Amino acid sequence: MFSSPLIEEARAALIRLVPGMLRTQHFTLRDFREKARSPHWRNAEDATVPELEELELGGLSHAAYMLALTTAQRHRLRTLHTARNTLSHRTPLDHAELVALTEVLTTDWAAG
């Protein structure tokens, strides 16, 4: 699996904020971790629930509805997820994707 160190840094920054963004009136942190785990393990009865730090961007995107994210934060997560998937298939980003990725990498999660 390939991931840019900058994309990984943005993923880790989001994970640090997850507990404070969780819609706690509806979901627990365990619910979020279960929903966000890898799709390969999502339906396995005996799969362990991963720690927050182990969650990948795809899983975070899958469980994003459990978080109180702004529109800009949802866009940032989607852009990071798409770029990471593209790069993991060893496909270069096109100009528009690179511009979008640059924009989200220079924006802080807390900025909205």
Side-chain angles (χ1 to χ4, degrees), residues 57-107:
L57 282 167
L60 293 169
S61 291
H62 184 72
Y65 70 93
M66 299 173 134
L67 302 174
L69 296 173
T70 65
T71 300
Q73 289 168 329
R74 287 184 190 285
H75 170 73
R76 185 172 195 221
L77 179 55
R78 229 181 354 266
T79 302
L80 291 168
H81 178 206
T82 300
R84 187 243 166 257
N85 277 353
T86 300
L87 293 171
S88 73
H89 293 285
R90 302 198 187 283
T91 303
L93 299 176
D94 65 28
H95 179 74
E97 291 169 322
L98 191 54
V99 168
L101 179 60
T102 301
E103 288 174 2
V104 301
L105 287 174
T106 57
T107 304

